[in-house]
Amino acid sequence: MRLRPGIRRAGLYTGGFLGPFGGGMVVVLVPEFRDVFGVSTATAALAITAYLVPFALLQFVSGTLGERLGRDRVLRIAFAVYALASLAAAIFKTIEPFLIARAIQGCANAFTSPLALAKLADVTPPARLDKAMGAYASVQTSGMLLAPLIGGAAGAIDYRLAFVIAAVASLVLMVIVPEGSARPDRALAPRLRSAFTPRAMWMSASSSLFFLCTVGLAVVVSLKAADEFGVSSDGRGLLLAGFGFAGVFAGLLAGSLLERFGRSRVLVCGVISSAVVLSLLGFTTSSWSLAVVWFLTGLFTTFVATALVTLVVTASAVNRGGAISMIAAWRFVGGALAPVIWVPLYHASEHAAFSTAAGGTLIVLATALRASSASDVRADRPGSVVEAGDLAQEPQ
């Protein structure tokens, strides 16, 4: 199907929106699930877990599978599967098949998110890559923000409407994102190990630690707002959303800054600024000052996140999709560890929790700078034979 490049590019950005939207739209719908399915709140909340677990785990291999089988073919199938699973979630009246449908949604999005980003990087001229990644970061952040808003609006009418909207969006993307490219030659298709380049490994460490020390800190920010300032649940939700609102606007600005000043400078300034505001979180004395500092945290960490994304898409010259999906999986590992690490440390000393997070971002700076100078091609051990698949050009 022949489409204008601008329409296809918009579809790629929307593909990045769909991942966080699919995970976040049900957060506000847990009470509706509890009432409709007649289950406990804990069981209803499994709608979130059933999506996120396969979404995270499959990303260790989904990008490489997409590269081997052909990005466009896999994207088309994944969008179709996501649409069908969304419709199934809207139809089922009992909790078990509903949770299975949610798990299938997560599996499908494990392919669409990294492959859409890899395809976007391919069609973007190198000179405009920084701005494109800044826009992509803004779109993903808007997905996190709008998901509960759209989900809540749908829930006020009928919770199934949220899944119908997701299905329709996915069907549209199934048409406009993939192109009619040929299936890659199996002899030249990249292998999983080609994603494990030095740059990709350093970026995996950077992404995991960065997510842990920034977004993962939201749990203790919420605790501080409740314990010290008595902020209500809806107030805490609005306070935490300030991080995302800052990210939406900062993403586009970050792309321009990267283009003008270079990734290293933006990365260094962004990390140092992030470390400072993270440290200040422990010294806030009111809910308003906490909200302002958390907003600034979202602003500065978006600059860092955009610089990291530009490094992520160049992590492997022969298996871009595989490297992107593997790095994304490690980011979720950081998110999963956040409550386990920060909550006990916060209860021991809130200043220690925020200061440790600030110190962690400085380590991110070291690993990210190391990634920027590392090779994006996997080097075998001396004397070994490099397989053709490891040196193949990535399929377009």
Side-chain angles (χ1 to χ4, degrees), residues 81-396:
V81 170
Y82 183 85
L84 291 174
S86 299
L87 291 175
I91 293 172
F92 289 134
K93 299 295 185 181
T94 54
I95 190 66
E96 291 83 3
F98 171 78
L99 293 178
I100 292 174
R102 284 290 292 164
I104 294 174
Q105 277 187 308
C107 290
N109 264 346
F111 288 89
T112 59
S113 294
L115 293 178
L117 178 56
K119 191 173 178 64
L120 177 63
D122 274 356
V123 301
T124 301
R128 297 186 58 82
L129 185 62
D130 292 323
K131 281 190 175 180
M133 293 304 103
Y136 188 86
S138 291
V139 168
Q140 280 213 311
T141 305
S142 68
M144 298 177 193
L145 277 175
L146 293 177
L149 297 178
I150 295 175
I157 303 172
D158 188 327
Y159 80 91
R160 294 173 294 183
L161 183 59
F163 293 99
V164 173
I165 292 172
V168 172
S170 191
L171 288 174
V172 172
L173 293 176
M174 181 186 71
V175 174
I176 67 175
V177 169
E179 300 175 75
S181 58
R183 182 170 181 168
D185 189 335
R186 289 185 61 86
L188 299 178
R191 294 168 174 81
L192 178 60
R193 68 179 188 174
S194 64
F196 290 81
T197 67
R199 182 175 296 176
M201 299 309 294
W202 282 109
M203 282 308 305
S204 295
S206 299
S207 297
S208 183
L209 185 58
F210 179 72
F211 203 82
L212 169 67
C213 294
T214 55
V215 179
L217 206 63
V219 62
V220 293
V221 172
S222 178
L223 287 174
K224 181 178 174 68
D227 296 343
E228 293 188 24
F229 309 129
V231 180
S232 63
S233 59
D234 56 343
R236 294 196 302 273
L238 185 60
L239 187 153
L240 293 178
F243 185 102
F245 280 116
V248 171
F249 296 107
L252 295 175
L253 176 60
S256 298
L257 292 176
L258 287 167
E259 190 175 80
R260 181 173 181 179
F261 298 107
R263 296 169 193 169
S264 295
R265 289 181 180 178
V266 173
L267 190 61
V268 170
C269 293
V271 166
I272 293 175
S273 300
S274 298
V276 170
V277 294
L278 284 169
S279 299
L280 291 176
L281 285 169
F283 295 94
T284 53
T285 56
S286 68
S287 59
W288 284 104
S289 62
L290 180 63
V292 169
V293 176
W294 185 238
F295 178 89
L296 292 175
T297 303
L299 184 72
F300 292 126
T301 56
T302 299
F303 296 152
V304 180
T306 306
L308 292 179
V309 169
T310 62
L311 290 174
V312 166
V313 298
T314 60
S316 175
V318 299
N319 188 1
R320 175 173 276 166
I324 290 173
S325 66
M326 180 187 69
I327 294 167
W330 279 109
R331 183 180 64 178
F332 278 97
V333 171
L337 291 175
V340 178
I341 293 175
W342 298 130
V343 172
L345 188 56
Y346 168 79
H347 285 306
S349 169
E350 72 170 71
H351 292 296
F354 293 122
S355 297
T356 302
T361 60
L362 297 177
I363 299 175
V364 170
L365 176 59
T367 56
L369 291 177
R370 181 66 182 85
S372 66
S373 61
S375 172
D376 62 351
V377 177
R378 183 181 181 275
D380 280 7
R381 294 176 181 177
S384 65
V385 177
V386 180
E387 295 182 74
D390 288 337
L391 298 178
Q393 290 186 348
E394 57 186 331
Q396 300 298 321

Side-chain angles (χ1 to χ4, degrees), residues 55-78:
F55 178 65
L57 293 180
L58 260 182
Q59 287 194 81
F60 280 106
V61 298
S62 61
T64 298
L65 289 175
E67 298 285 14
R68 290 186 64 82
L69 299 175
R71 285 184 201 159
D72 292 312
R73 177 177 288 101
V74 172
L75 278 170
R76 186 176 292 110
I77 294 173

